[in-house]
Amino acid sequence: MQLESLKMFCDVVETGSFSRAAQLNHVTQSAVSQQIRALENRYEQKLLSRSARQVTPTPAGERLFRGCKEILARFAEVENEIREQSTEVAGTTTVSTIYSVGLHELRSVQKQLLKTHPKVNMRLNYRRNDQVYDDVILGAAEIGIVAYPQPRAGVDIHPFRDDKLAVVCSPSHPFATKAKVSLTALSGVPFIAFDREAPTRKALDRLFREKNLDLNPVMEIDNVETIKRAVEMGIGVAILPMATVSAEVAQGSLVSKPFAEGPVSRPIGLLIRKGKYLDRASAAVLEAFKLAEASSDEA
């Protein structure tokens, strides 16, 4: 028994007509009749009642019709899945990210995505840290990016990379002539800080408390771009991810210095709603993150 025979049978039941079913399947009415007779012979009972006006299913035909529709629907789904795998991946994936990651950190990811899936678009929403979690949980974003990721109900965390932090100052600041800057030297110096609720700020406060040192924030800002402008104006120094100041350092408007105590970094994590099925575009974006990070490690 072939699926074409089952489809013809279902078409006859749904249209109530042999001639209409023949048109839908691009065959003759005689061919449809032969297929129905073959089914009735197989099951040794009448499946259709024929009248002058319409064809209707018998009780046995009605049961076969319901079962066949389920089989044909599932087969259509499988065919679509197979066809989809053979076509180019395309679509838009929304990524919610904190301000201090954004394009600065994601340039390599976007390059990787363009190389592997040029028709997939990664749309970035810049959000506060807690809003990124909410976006992922509520389905407003397929992927979230946060610093110092913390376990939360309904969210899976995928490690991405560690951001190297540096002391950032204006070219006229005394730190600009030093090879390295110690944490002790930062104590009491006018400091441009992240907002108190930002995970990076909390981590820096914890680091300074462990060293029995005091930060002297003269400004608290939730946007890394605004922090950079304040540092350029000479209002104070800051501790920022090196990737976020690379352009300004190259242009000479800012200077970055490593820590005398050794590297200081912050972890960056990817958030995905627990149990969420990622469509092919979103899966491609997630894969681009992994490939970009692997390339960074090799470099």
Side-chain angles (χ1 to χ4, degrees):
M1 181 171 56
Q2 297 180 338
L3 288 173
E4 288 80 0
S5 298
L6 299 180
K7 183 179 183 304
M8 287 184 196
F9 170 74
C10 290
D11 288 342
V12 171
V13 173
E14 290 181 320
T15 64
S17 167
F18 276 77
S19 61
R20 182 60 182 143
Q23 293 173 355
L24 291 173
N25 291 277
H26 307 289
V27 297
T28 64
Q29 186 172 329
S30 174
V32 175
S33 297
Q34 290 175 15
Q35 294 290 345
I36 300 303
R37 278 198 301 272
L39 287 174
E40 290 180 330
N41 290 336
R42 178 185 180 88
Y43 297 113
E44 298 180 346
Q45 55 185 308
K46 296 284 288 184
L47 299 174
L48 299 173
S49 295
R50 300 161 178 83
S51 66
R53 288 189 173 184
Q54 192 175 17
V55 179
T56 58
T58 65
E62 180 64 34
R63 179 66 189 90
L64 180 63
F65 172 74
R66 292 198 304 270
C68 287
K69 288 298 290 183
E70 293 176 6
I71 293 171
L72 293 171
R74 180 57 187 143
F75 182 72
E77 291 177 2
V78 172
E79 279 194 316
N80 287 336
E81 290 173 4
I82 294 173
R83 288 195 183 100
E84 187 183 56
Q85 290 176 0
S86 67
T87 58
E88 190 170 12
V89 182
T92 298
T93 293
T94 299
V95 177
S96 283
T97 177
I98 56 175
Y99 293 101
S100 59
V101 177
L103 289 175
H104 304 291
E105 302 291 327
L106 303 184
R107 195 170 290 116
S108 61
V109 177
Q110 290 178 316
K111 287 181 179 178
Q112 181 65 48
L113 189 61
L114 185 62
K115 181 168 64 175
T116 56
H117 297 94
K119 292 189 177 180
V120 173
N121 178 44
M122 183 171 66
R123 182 173 61 203
L124 297 178
N125 285 343
Y126 294 97
R127 310 281 275 165
R128 293 176 62 90
N129 192 77
D130 56 340
Q131 292 173 327
V132 174
Y133 284 91
D134 291 342
D135 282 353
V136 171
I137 292 171
L138 297 175
E142 285 73 39
I143 299 172
I145 308 174
V146 295
Y148 300 96
Q150 297 296 315
R152 186 174 295 189
V155 171
D156 287 327
I157 298 172
H158 299 254
F160 178 42
R161 65 172 51 155
D162 287 338
D163 267 348
K164 291 183 179 179
L165 301 179
V167 178
V168 179
C169 63
S170 69
S172 61
H173 194 279
F175 286 169
T177 59
K178 296 181 177 294
K180 298 180 180 181
V181 177
S182 68
L183 293 173
T184 302
L186 289 170
S187 182
V189 172
F191 191 81
I192 313 298
F194 281 106
D195 181 84
R196 289 178 184 270
E197 295 305 312
T200 302
R201 168 66 183 279
K202 291 180 179 179
L204 290 176
D205 285 345
R206 189 162 53 248
L207 174 64
F208 274 76
R209 281 198 304 271
E210 291 171 354
K211 302 290 185 181
N212 293 317
L213 300 173
D214 294 321
L215 275 177
N216 180 30
V218 294
M219 296 181 71
E220 296 177 337
I221 303 171
D222 65 0
N223 187 311
V224 69
E225 296 299 321
T226 307
I227 292 177
K228 290 192 291 185
R229 301 295 83 81
V231 174
E232 285 175 337
M233 293 168 63
I235 297 174
V237 302
I239 295 176
L240 295 174
M242 292 176 63
T244 66
V245 297
S246 58
E248 288 82 2
V249 170
Q251 294 166 3
S253 62
L254 287 175
V255 176
S256 68
K257 297 295 179 179
F259 291 92
E261 291 82 358
V264 176
S265 61
R266 66 172 187 173
I268 302 296
L270 306 178
L271 308 180
I272 297 175
R273 190 175 68 196
K274 192 175 294 292
K276 179 179 178 61
Y277 168 77
L278 293 180
D279 59 26
R280 296 182 71 204
S282 299
V285 172
L286 184 60
E287 182 65 18
F289 274 97
K290 294 177 180 178
L291 291 175
E293 178 56 15
S295 298
S296 174
D297 289 342
E298 292 173 2

